[in-house]
Amino acid sequence: MACNVVCPNDSSDANSSLEFFILVGQLKTNKRTGWIKNNVPNPESISDHMYRMAIMAMLLNDNNISILRCIKMALVHDLAECIVGDITPFCGISPEEKYIKEKEAMAQLCSLVTNKKVGDDIMELWQEYSAQVTGEAKAVKDLDRFEMILQAFEYERALNRNGELESFFAGTNGKFQNDVVKSWVEQLNRLRLVNK
């Protein structure tokens, strides 16, 4: 989805940056699909999710990974969704097709970044996250899952729907790898039991 911004008397670099900012800004209003499908009123946006993940990354306290790289990765891991939307396993799109759509969206976004090094860094971070090979990518994937179940817990509690979002917890069970995130998951599970 190109927004084709035309700003008179501006350089093409400024025009490209503005188009990039407008596309990325759509993440502030695009709601997360899983919550919509579960009838959560006024659900979080994609950028809400990414923002809290970045804050969580600051608290990882893991000497085996680059915390700064994790923060950056958390901020870009869902960037393509400003163009393709929040595609979940229940959207009828194969993982391969999802990857292709998101990679094309990332290429479009990065082409708008006038500083080539920054554009390349954004694409590299997204590809690293997608490949799930590095410690940083695995930690950020854990943050992605943890932020989701923490949000599910908050919705269950706020909406008095205890246990109704169990599928989010079940879908992440046994998938966490980072020790810090595992400790957060264990504490959340204890808190959830107390609140049932």
Side-chain angles (χ1 to χ4, degrees):
M1 165 189 327
C3 56
N4 299 322
V5 176
V6 177
C7 299
N9 303 321
D10 273 339
S11 73
S12 62
D13 283 0
N15 213 30
S16 290
S17 294
L18 187 57
E19 186 169 353
F20 177 81
F21 299 147
I22 289 171
L23 282 168
V24 171
Q26 292 179 40
L27 296 169
K28 292 167 43 173
T29 55
N30 291 353
K31 304 300 183 182
R32 304 243 302 151
T33 303
W35 308 131
I36 293 169
K37 288 187 179 292
N38 281 275
N39 300 312
V40 171
N42 193 28
E44 69 171 340
S45 71
I46 296 165
S47 66
D48 292 334
H49 166 69
M50 293 164 61
Y51 172 77
R52 184 155 66 172
M53 279 179 62
I55 295 294
M56 289 174 171
M58 292 174 68
L59 304 179
L60 278 174
N61 193 26
D62 186 335
N63 293 327
N64 298 315
I65 56 176
S66 165
I67 299 303
L68 180 58
R69 190 157 187 85
C70 289
I71 294 166
K72 290 179 177 182
M73 198 176 294
L75 289 170
V76 305
H77 84 286
D78 280 343
L79 210 55
E81 294 181 10
C82 71
I83 294 174
V84 301
D86 183 16
I87 302 170
T88 72
F90 306 102
C91 292
I93 295 174
S94 72
E96 297 78 18
E97 186 180 352
K98 176 182 188 271
Y99 176 79
I100 290 167
K101 285 178 179 290
E102 289 182 347
K103 186 175 181 181
E104 288 171 354
M106 288 302 295
Q108 178 184 339
L109 286 165
C110 292
S111 75
L112 296 171
V113 178
T114 55
N115 181 324
K116 184 172 175 0
K117 182 183 178 335
V118 173
D120 290 348
D121 287 347
I122 290 171
M123 180 60 96
E124 182 182 311
L125 285 161
W126 181 83
Q127 288 176 321
E128 181 179 339
Y129 177 78
S130 297
Q132 282 298 294
V133 175
T134 65
E136 287 81 2
K138 291 174 182 178
V140 174
K141 186 64 175 179
D142 276 1
L143 293 176
D144 187 33
R145 291 178 176 131
F146 177 70
E147 201 288 327
M148 179 185 69
I149 62 173
L150 177 58
Q151 187 64 68
F153 169 75
E154 290 170 339
Y155 285 145
E156 283 184 335
R157 194 168 56 173
L159 301 171
N160 199 24
R161 292 174 57 181
N162 293 341
E164 288 185 34
L165 299 174
E166 177 60 34
S167 63
F168 291 92
F169 295 89
T172 63
N173 196 20
K175 293 185 178 177
F176 294 97
Q177 301 175 53
N178 181 277
D179 288 338
V180 175
V181 180
K182 280 183 183 177
S183 72
W184 297 344
V185 171
E186 289 167 9
Q187 184 60 29
L188 179 60
N189 286 333
R190 284 192 285 271
L191 187 58
R192 192 167 180 244
L193 283 173
V194 168
N195 281 272
K196 280 191 174 180

